[in-house]
Amino acid sequence: MQIVHGDFIFPDGSRLYIPENGIINNGWGELGSSHLVGNPLKPLPGRLDITWFSFAENRFYSGVFNLNVRRLTRLFEQGITSPTSGEKAVFDRIIVGLAPEGGVTTWVSGEGIVLGLQNFQANLAEIDWRKILDNEAVSRVDYVAMVLESRLNSPAHERLRKQGLPPGHWARILSRRKWTFEIAGAEAVQFWLRTVDGQREFTVPGKINAGSTNGSLPKDVKLNWKSAGGIRYTFNISFDETEIFAAFAKLQELAPDESLKILFEISETAFSVTISVHTSSYVVQLLKILSKVFRV
């Protein structure tokens, strides 16, 4: 994606620009370009004005969206519990994400926690191509191909070249399921969950938000745990998106009225973790996870 123009619009009509012209593909819900402008204490914006180019689709999108100022105000006033100190902390950033098919998502973030705010749908737009590249010697087709080849890894680039973007992918990312998680086999100390919709949650098992989730499926997990001898370790776990969606779809078909559970089973002897998805009667083990263990 490349932002052509972007502004947060404040209630008095003044604007705060969103960094533009650079190509962004830093990940859904992740921080990209950040600019510190003016007074660090600013009013909360009431609208978002954004126009961008999607290289994967070779299309421009644009829209002006009303932000939920009441919810935004409540989140900034309530704050969060700091994962590091346990004290009250505050949200200090608003993040904007741009998706294929004109999807726009906003989040608030602070202390490593990212919470979804709103989702919007932009419209296709006719924008002068020179806003992206003002160079008659390089065609639009050639420049788009060059950017995609340089920005995507080889498997992703080849898949996009042969198959294009899967339709409805953004809607699937935003879908919600009823699920919880459980950790067995060792004493869990901290649990960081990043979900496919870009949110990032922090849990202290047995204390803060134990077992609860926002409903979006997991993308990756950082699980801190303690052995019987008191030594602390960390698992960094990445899920295969296709596998986790397929597991949930299968189990929801078998047990449509049940909340599902993801079970993390830690083996202290093998320093490994086994992950499975459960209903009361059925189990699907996830075989394509990637995990690494570190001593803290």
Side-chain angles (χ1 to χ4, degrees):
M1 307 290 180
Q2 181 170 332
I3 296 175
V4 176
H5 169 81
D7 284 316
F8 284 116
I9 305 174
F10 298 113
D12 65 359
S14 62
R15 293 174 176 247
L16 176 66
Y17 76 94
I18 296 171
E20 56 192 50
N21 295 325
I23 298 171
I24 51 174
N25 62 335
N26 43 288
W28 201 234
E30 298 293 329
L31 290 176
S33 298
S34 298
H35 283 204
L36 302 177
V37 181
N39 194 320
L41 294 178
K42 300 176 178 65
L44 293 174
R47 288 186 294 164
L48 168 66
D49 179 0
I50 191 83
T51 300
W52 78 95
F53 179 71
S54 169
F55 283 93
E57 302 166 282
N58 196 8
R59 290 176 172 178
F60 288 95
Y61 291 96
S62 186
V64 180
F65 310 104
N66 293 321
L67 299 175
N68 188 336
V69 178
R70 180 175 297 180
R71 181 164 185 250
L72 193 57
T73 301
R74 185 174 68 252
L75 289 171
F76 272 79
E77 287 179 346
Q78 289 179 345
I80 48 178
T81 300
S82 170
T84 53
S85 68
E87 303 295 327
K88 182 179 177 180
V90 296
F91 291 109
D92 56 11
R93 292 176 186 268
I94 300 175
I95 304 173
V96 178
L98 308 172
E101 302 175 317
V104 180
T105 290
T106 55
W107 302 265
V108 292
S109 75
E111 296 281 320
I113 295 171
V114 180
L115 183 62
L117 185 63
Q118 284 174 276
N119 303 307
F120 305 103
Q121 180 62 52
N123 296 316
L124 287 170
E126 294 294 330
I127 306 294
D128 187 346
W129 171 248
R130 289 175 295 180
K131 295 287 187 180
I132 300 297
L133 182 69
D134 190 6
N135 184 349
E136 294 182 357
V138 181
S139 71
R140 176 169 173 169
V141 171
D142 288 343
Y143 184 68
V144 168
M146 179 183 68
V147 169
L148 291 174
E149 185 175 3
S150 65
R151 290 282 176 158
L152 298 177
N153 59 45
S154 295
H157 182 260
E158 188 65 14
R159 186 165 58 248
L160 178 65
R161 189 181 67 82
K162 290 183 176 180
Q163 303 172 9
L165 286 171
H169 180 70
W170 189 62
R172 185 177 76 153
I173 290 298
L174 297 181
S175 62
R176 294 288 184 268
R177 276 83 169 169
K178 292 188 296 183
W179 67 278
T180 59
F181 65 88
E182 182 181 331
I183 302 165
E187 180 185 348
V189 179
Q190 291 181 335
F191 187 89
W192 281 95
L193 168 66
R194 182 167 66 137
T195 49
V196 295
D197 66 348
Q199 299 191 77
R200 190 186 297 267
E201 304 176 20
F202 174 76
T203 297
V204 177
K207 295 181 181 179
I208 300 175
N209 301 327
S212 66
T213 71
N214 63 49
S216 180
L217 296 191
K219 181 179 180 65
D220 52 54
V221 160
K222 180 179 179 181
L223 172 55
N224 295 339
W225 56 282
K226 186 164 58 175
S227 71
I231 301 174
R232 294 197 176 198
Y233 298 91
T234 294
F235 276 120
N236 286 345
I237 302 165
S238 297
F239 291 82
D240 180 90
E241 186 176 301
T242 301
E243 182 184 46
I244 188 75
F245 271 94
F248 267 71
K250 179 178 181 178
L251 291 175
Q252 286 178 321
E253 183 178 353
L254 294 169
D257 298 325
E258 290 193 35
S259 175
L260 306 186
K261 179 177 70 177
I262 298 181
L263 177 62
F264 296 80
E265 296 180 273
I266 299 171
S267 170
E268 285 197 36
T269 55
F271 290 98
S272 62
V273 61
T274 300
I275 303 175
S276 50
V277 188
H278 294 244
T279 70
S280 59
S281 304
Y282 303 97
V283 179
V284 174
Q285 185 172 343
L286 302 180
L287 302 175
K288 296 182 179 181
I289 63 166
L290 298 176
S291 65
K292 295 182 179 180
V293 63
F294 306 91
R295 181 170 175 174
V296 179

